[in-house]
Amino acid sequence: MGSAEEPPAAGLREQAVALGKVMAARDVILLTGATTGMVYAAGKAAHEAGALHIGVSPASDQTEHVERYRLPTDACDAIIYTGFGLKGRNVVLVRSCEVVVFFSGSIGSLNEFTIAYDEGKVIGCLTGTGGVADEVERIVATFKKETKARVFYDDDPGKLLERCIKAARP
């Protein structure tokens, strides 16, 4: 989960690609919002490195996915067209994941985080990427709510993913 925008900071695209490659090396099934920006960069890198990448679209079909939402189709092995719009898609996407990893992110990612947190998911935040990934610790401390969520923070994609997978599959 993360920014569908291009990052203002140099080096973030490279970090997204590194995250995608780490996911492929761990042989995980990657689910994303089938979107643009940093999510696209990570998903495309994972796909090209051999990971199975499933996109979960807000659209009802491929035409709406491309024309209305202006989203790509080339980084995913398969796309599930929910027809639920962006926020409805987020519920389907997050609830379908064992581990939810955040890279940067804005309001949409914040929505995904609150779903993951409420659902008690294992959550990883790739720190140093900005946005939601760097604000989650403060958000959790400020808005105290008991859930079964386990949140991990690291600036190294490999270490973060390792900790999250270990927590999800003890």
Side-chain angles (χ1 to χ4, degrees), residues 23-137:
M23 289 183 183
R26 291 290 306 172
D27 199 29
V28 300
I29 298 172
L30 175 62
L31 282 85
T32 70
T35 191
T36 56
M38 295 302 89
V39 174
Y40 175 82
K44 180 97 170 157
H47 172 76
E48 289 175 351
L52 178 61
H53 178 197
I54 307 296
V56 180
S57 173
S60 297
D61 57 31
Q62 184 174 359
T63 300
E64 185 180 27
H65 180 82
V66 172
E67 292 179 8
R68 176 178 174 200
Y69 290 98
R70 301 194 189 300
L71 299 176
T73 59
D74 65 322
C76 299
D77 293 287
I79 299 176
I80 298 167
Y81 298 103
T82 65
F84 294 154
L86 293 168
K87 299 308 175 223
R89 178 268 318 262
N90 290 352
V91 173
V92 173
L93 174 59
V94 171
R95 292 195 75 198
S96 299
C97 296
E98 278 184 272
V99 172
V100 184
V101 176
F102 288 89
F103 180 102
S104 187
S106 190
I107 294 297
S109 300
L110 181 58
N111 175 249
E112 291 163 336
F113 169 74
T114 61
I115 296 165
Y117 194 75
D118 281 345
E119 293 288 327
K121 297 290 185 175
V122 172
I123 300 168
C125 296
L126 189 60
T127 57
T129 60
V132 171
D134 284 341
E135 294 296 327
V136 163
E137 193 166 13

